[in-house]
């Protein structure tokens, strides 16, 4: 395997020979490093223009700036916001989620990501029926409110996704990359919807028990390339595949930092990159903030670094703060003009 690593830049002024990275109006590159799995430099002929092709997520959504995906966890046990929106009274749960969705839309969210099963380290599996009962009613209610913002269903299970799509979801977000339930790929192909394939080493029950890699950047890359090939073999349009390196899913803090520093490598896969690092433990470890809900500033810092490497989707808890930070980042990297 050979890896093509564009050196993402937001320098001003921009070089006259530079190319936009994955269609971004704010991130560019004029150098591509080539190396093998051992990390040795390799001389290679490569069409760098392929790295400049826009990566559209859904028709109608911008492809020249990072999209903000707002997290709506309808769970009692998610690591940061478990129980915040979830209540034993289902009507109360629906009302709380709809209220939060409206607030996110007002703040400028691009995609709403709804999940009914925690995948934090050590989390137990949720039965299919329970997961459907948590997610489908809130999707139906959001659509009934007239909210047209695209909705992503965060699930590993085809039965859950099928009901969610019928209720009004537009995207499937699978943290198992079709390894938990391969029929989810068949569903995505038939429904002709985008699907996000995330890298994870192990399951939620085992993933943080001494994760190891020889080279985390290339091993995650190879895994995602194989899962993309599998998805395409199931009939999924390659243009509908999104990739996620899986920050915190079977990774140590050092692994997470390596992935973030080298994030632009994954543009070589030819798919939009989703980055989900919001409020995760490594942010608290580095900043000394134990409470997950208090990690907004660190989360925004990570989001801006990902934006600076051309990530197309930023999955976050703190929508308003991230949208505001990105507005300033875009102005500062757009020849000084507010956009």
């Amino acid at each position: 395997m050979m890896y093509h690593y564009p050196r993402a830049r937001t320098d001003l002024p921009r070089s006259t020979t530079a190319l936009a990275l994955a269609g971004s109006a704010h991130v560019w590159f004029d150098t591509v490093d080539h190396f093998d799995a051992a990390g040795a430099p390799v001389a290679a002929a490569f069409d760098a223009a392929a790295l400049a092709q826009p990566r559209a997520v859904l028709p109608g959504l911008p492809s020249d700036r990072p999209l903000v995906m707002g997290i709506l966890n309808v769970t009692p046990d998610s690591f940061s916001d478990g129980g915040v929106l979830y209540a034993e009274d289902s009507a109360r749960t629906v009302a709380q989620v709809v209220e939060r969705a409206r607030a996110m839309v007002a703040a400028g969210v691009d995609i709403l990501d709804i999940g009914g099963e925690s995948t934090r380290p050590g989390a137990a599996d949720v039965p299919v029926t329970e997961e459907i009962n948590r997610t489908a009613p809130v999707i139906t209610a959001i659509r009934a409110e007239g909210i047209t913002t695209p909705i992503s269903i965060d699930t590993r299970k085809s039965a859950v996704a099928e009901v969610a799509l019928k209720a009004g979801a537009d995207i499937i977000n699978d943290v198992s990359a079709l390894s938990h339930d391969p029929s989810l790929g068949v569903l995505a192909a038939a429904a002709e919807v985008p699907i996000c394939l995330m890298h994870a080493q192990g399951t939620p029950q085992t993933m943080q028990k001494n994760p190891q890699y020889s080279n985390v950047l290339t091993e995650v890359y190879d895994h995602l390339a194989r899962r993309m090939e599998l998805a395409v073999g199931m009939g999924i349009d390659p243009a509908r595949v999104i990739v996620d390196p899986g920050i915190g899913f079977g990774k140590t803090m050092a692994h997470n930092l390596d992935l973030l520093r080298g994030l632009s490598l994954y543009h070589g896969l030819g798919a939009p990159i989703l980055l989900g690092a919001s409020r995760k433990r490594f942010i608290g470890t580095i900043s000394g903030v134990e409470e997950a809900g208090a990690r907004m500033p660190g989360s925004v810092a990570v989001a801006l670094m990902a934006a600076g490497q051309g990530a197309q989707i930023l999955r976050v808890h703190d929508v308003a703060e991230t949208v505001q930070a990105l507005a300033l980042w875009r102005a500062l990297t757009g020849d000084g003009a507010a956009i």
Side-chain angles (χ1 to χ4, degrees):
M1 174 73 77
M2 186 184 299
Y3 306 90
H4 309 289
Y5 186 10
R7 292 296 183 178
R9 303 181 69 177
T10 54
D11 306 48
L12 294 175
R14 175 169 160 173
S15 166
T16 57
T17 60
L19 295 174
L21 180 56
S24 171
H26 312 283
V27 184
W28 53 275
F29 68 100
D30 53 14
T31 302
V32 181
D33 295 335
H34 312 281
F35 58 94
D36 61 23
V42 177
F46 177 69
D47 180 11
L51 293 169
Q53 295 299 312
R55 313 280 165 82
V57 175
L58 273 175
L61 289 179
S63 58
D64 62 344
R65 65 165 176 82
L67 302 176
V68 175
M69 173 184 276
I71 299 169
L72 292 167
N73 284 323
V74 194
T75 61
D77 57 344
S78 290
F79 81 96
S80 172
D81 56 356
V84 173
L85 299 177
Y86 176 86
E88 292 297 331
D89 179 350
S90 59
R92 182 182 174 191
T93 295
V94 169
Q96 290 178 158
V97 174
V98 170
E99 182 180 2
R100 180 68 63 84
R102 279 199 298 257
M104 286 184 172
V105 171
V109 80
D110 296 294
I111 303 167
L112 299 168
D113 189 54
I114 295 174
E117 178 183 55
S118 173
T119 50
R120 62 175 173 76
D125 289 350
V126 174
V128 168
T129 301
E130 175 65 18
E131 193 175 341
I132 290 172
N133 290 340
R134 291 178 181 179
T135 55
V138 301
I139 296 172
T140 298
I142 288 170
R143 291 299 184 229
E145 284 287 308
I147 296 173
T148 59
T149 301
I151 291 174
S152 164
I153 177 64
D154 183 356
T155 185
R156 304 177 291 167
K157 302 162 188 168
S158 59
V160 177
E162 183 175 12
V163 177
L165 293 174
K166 289 178 181 176
D170 309 276
I171 301 170
I172 297 170
N173 184 9
D174 179 14
V175 299
S176 80
L178 303 177
S179 63
H180 182 81
D181 181 0
S183 60
L184 187 56
V186 178
L187 172 67
E192 299 184 336
V193 296
I195 183 166
C196 181
L197 307 176
M198 193 196 80
H199 174 275
Q201 188 180 94
T203 66
Q205 293 77 32
T206 65
M207 62 189 183
Q208 289 308 109
K209 295 180 179 179
N210 194 30
Q212 296 187 25
Y213 302 86
S214 296
N215 183 322
V216 68
L217 275 177
T218 57
E219 288 179 44
V220 169
Y221 186 106
D222 291 347
H223 175 87
L224 290 173
R226 290 191 297 269
R227 303 316 289 179
M228 289 178 67
E229 184 178 0
L230 173 71
V232 172
M234 291 180 170
I236 297 173
D237 184 341
R240 293 194 177 99
V241 177
I242 301 163
V243 296
D244 179 349
I247 299 298
F249 282 77
K251 283 94 176 175
T252 64
M253 184 172 72
H255 296 145
N256 290 329
L257 294 177
D258 283 345
L259 287 170
L260 290 168
R261 294 185 187 110
L263 189 64
S264 61
L265 172 69
Y266 298 100
H267 289 293
L269 292 166
I273 298 170
L274 185 152
L275 195 283
S278 180
R279 299 186 183 177
K280 290 194 173 176
R281 179 170 295 278
F282 80 97
I283 295 174
T285 300
I286 292 171
S287 63
V289 177
E290 181 64 25
E291 182 187 349
R295 298 173 188 161
M296 179 274 292
S299 299
V300 170
V302 174
L304 291 178
M305 181 174 186
Q309 295 193 63
Q312 281 82 8
I313 309 172
L314 304 173
R315 183 178 181 273
V316 304
H317 296 86
D318 303 292
V319 169
E321 293 84 353
T322 305
V323 168
Q324 183 181 120
L326 285 171
L328 271 295
W329 174 80
R330 293 168 64 203
L332 291 167
T333 57
D335 297 324
I339 297 174

